Amino acid sequence: MQKNKNGIEKGVLLPRPSSNETQFFDEEWSDEDFKNIIRKLNLKVTPQRMIILNCLHKNRKHITAQELFEKVQKLNEDIGFATVYRFLKDLALGHAVTEVRMGGMPARYELTPKKHHDHMTCTECGRIVEFQNKSIEQHQEKVAEQFGFKLTHHVLELYGICPSCQTHE
Amino acid sequence: MQKNKNGIEKGVLLPRPSSNETQFFDEEWSDEDFKNIIRKLNLKVTPQRMIILNCLHKNRKHITAQELFEKVQKLNEDIGFATVYRFLKDLALGHAVTEVRMGGMPARYELTPKKHHDHMTCTECGRIVEFQNKSIEQHQEKVAEQFGFKLTHHVLELYGICPSCQTHE
DNA sequence: TTTGCAAATGATAATCATTCTCATTAAATT
DNA sequence: AATTTAATGAGAATGATTATCATTTGCAAA
């Protein structure tokens, strides 16, 4: 993957339901990966959970529990929505999915990527750019060290106006 | 305020209801500040709103709407809780307060500080350390520039184990 | 200062995401 | 295959947040 002088890796451009241009990193996940995720949480592998994880992976990122439930139902009419909620909660507890909450909106979930990335969101159009930046993470480690903390994870969300919204207004 | 070699300013230590040691930056706010906040949002200055802002300032940081409502009621029995919710929402919209949501918990609010800071939270005991780091912010600007975004604000939350939790377990 | 009016307030109802309950079913281990 | 324990599904319960609406109030213009 290309890298620029600032150490930023650019995400690939994936198609998306909305008209907003959105840059996402793509990743491969196998059924074996999903089974390992479930077992690592000390949970049982069930067809429901496999379907839920597959839907999480195949559909748009940052999906709500309700949206995910609807996708899942198309594959198996009999899966209840309590199952989806419950499993998402378990996954979030074990950091297998990342939960993002904005305002009073329902929570949105995405499979925690193998390669960590952060988000930059356009507050005008909602376009999301994923990025990686080693320097920022090194400085985070320094902060933690300074206070004697052992870092486990972080959330970094940048907000601003994207190029196209700066132009069109 | 002292600064160390990593450019990190340490927060001062303030008393707090819980037994957890928590480092917070302290700030002065006057009634004039509060009136300016309200006017900047194109809202009218009312006694209710002044009381709400004063309570937000004087009480523990990261307060829930419900907790804030209870504090406010002690000062004026007649203030409804819809007023508290509504005003908090308005303040959050205008970035005058910062809204933090974790899990399914109710949202927590704090007056957006004059001097921006970020948070590092201990996942074991909930201790919160506030910090400032210029380097991280400079790198954030580089990321934004890289993608042509004009940054407006950001959320950075570090999570880890604090020194005392590392020792006691 | 008084008046007019848009905005704010307070009480309550409505909404809606999320969590819980419990009877039933299924995974995994021996 | 039997046993044990967790998972599931349906629906009810919870609880934070938001909307409604009649009444009151800030405040600017006269």
Side-chain angles (χ1 to χ4, degrees):
Chain A
M1 196 173 286
Q2 62 172 317
K3 236 179 214 184
N4 76 353
K5 59 176 169 16
N6 295 323
I8 299 164
E9 290 184 6
K10 281 189 171 177
V12 297
L13 200 59
L14 297 180
R16 196 156 184 262
S18 95
S19 63
N20 294 330
E21 184 191 9
T22 299
Q23 271 167 314
F24 285 145
F25 290 110
D26 204 3
E27 280 187 340
E28 294 301 326
W29 294 83
S30 66
D31 275 8
E32 233 9 82
D33 288 330
F34 293 147
K35 286 179 186 170
N36 287 333
I37 286 176
I38 296 172
R39 294 194 184 108
K40 208 170 293 175
L41 298 172
N42 291 319
L43 300 174
K44 291 178 179 172
V45 174
T46 65
Q48 289 93 333
R49 285 172 175 162
M50 290 303 288
I51 287 175
I52 291 170
L53 283 174
N54 267 288
C55 282
L56 255 182
H57 171 48
K58 281 206 289 282
N59 289 285
R60 158 157 43 133
K61 298 198 177 193
H62 307 115
I63 199 171
T64 66
Q66 184 61 41
E67 286 165 356
L68 180 58
F69 169 61
E70 285 159 16
K71 303 278 186 188
V72 163
Q73 275 217 315
K74 286 180 186 165
L75 293 191
N76 184 334
E77 177 72 35
D78 294 331
I79 296 180
F81 93 144
T83 301
V84 175
Y85 265 96
R86 249 184 318 226
F87 189 40
L88 277 177
K89 195 190 71 180
D90 293 337
L91 289 168
L93 252 178
H95 296 296
V97 302
T98 303
E99 190 187 65
V100 177
R101 287 163 183 275
M102 271 193 59
M105 303 287 97
R108 291 184 169 273
Y109 299 88
E110 70 168 330
L111 272 181
T112 303
K114 297 169 183 175
K115 294 181 72 172
H116 172 77
H117 64 248
D118 297 298
H119 296 148
M120 178 161 56
T121 304
C122 177
T123 54
E124 297 288 326
C125 69
R127 176 187 170 196
I128 296 173
V129 170
E130 298 180 340
F131 66 91
Q132 294 181 296
N133 187 287
K134 263 277 179 288
S135 302
I136 289 179
E137 291 183 9
Q138 284 166 1
H139 283 287
Q140 289 175 356
E141 285 296 344
K142 280 189 188 170
V143 172
E145 185 185 313
Q146 170 67 19
F147 290 97
F149 272 56
K150 187 180 297 177
L151 269 198
T152 55
H153 58 291
H154 71 265
V155 174
L156 173 59
E157 306 278 343
L158 306 184
Y159 297 94
I161 318 286
C162 76
S164 118
C165 287
Q166 285 175 47
T167 307
H168 301 139
E169 228 296 324
Chain B
M1 195 172 290
Q2 64 171 315
K3 235 179 213 184
N4 76 354
K5 61 176 170 8
N6 294 324
I8 299 163
E9 289 183 9
K10 281 190 172 177
V12 298
L13 200 59
L14 297 181
R16 195 156 186 262
S18 97
S19 64
N20 294 328
E21 185 192 7
T22 300
Q23 271 166 312
F24 285 144
F25 292 109
D26 204 3
E27 280 188 340
E28 294 300 326
W29 293 84
S30 66
D31 275 7
E32 231 12 79
D33 288 330
F34 294 147
K35 286 180 186 169
N36 287 334
I37 286 176
I38 297 172
R39 294 196 184 107
K40 208 171 294 175
L41 297 171
N42 291 319
L43 300 174
K44 290 178 179 172
V45 174
T46 66
Q48 290 93 333
R49 285 172 175 162
M50 290 303 286
I51 287 176
I52 291 170
L53 284 174
N54 267 287
C55 283
L56 255 182
H57 171 47
K58 280 206 289 283
N59 289 285
R60 157 153 47 129
K61 297 198 176 192
H62 307 116
I63 200 171
T64 66
Q66 183 61 39
E67 285 166 356
L68 180 58
F69 169 60
E70 285 159 15
K71 304 278 187 189
V72 163
Q73 276 218 315
K74 285 178 187 167
L75 294 191
N76 184 332
E77 177 72 36
D78 293 331
I79 296 181
F81 93 146
T83 302
V84 175
Y85 265 95
R86 250 183 318 225
F87 188 39
L88 277 177
K89 195 191 71 181
D90 293 338
L91 289 168
L93 251 177
H95 297 296
V97 302
T98 303
E99 190 188 63
V100 177
R101 289 165 182 273
M102 272 192 57
M105 304 286 97
R108 290 184 170 273
Y109 300 87
E110 71 169 329
L111 271 181
T112 302
K114 297 169 181 172
K115 293 181 71 174
H116 171 77
H117 65 248
D118 297 299
H119 295 148
M120 178 160 57
T121 304
C122 176
T123 54
E124 297 288 326
C125 69
R127 176 187 170 197
I128 296 173
V129 171
E130 299 180 341
F131 67 89
Q132 294 181 295
N133 188 286
K134 263 279 180 287
S135 301
I136 289 179
E137 293 183 7
Q138 284 166 1
H139 283 287
Q140 289 174 358
E141 285 295 344
K142 280 189 188 168
V143 172
E145 184 184 314
Q146 172 66 21
F147 290 97
F149 273 56
K150 187 180 297 178
L151 269 198
T152 54
H153 60 290
H154 71 265
V155 175
L156 173 60
E157 305 280 340
L158 304 185
Y159 297 94
I161 318 286
C162 76
S164 119
C165 287
Q166 286 174 47
T167 307
H168 300 139
E169 229 295 325

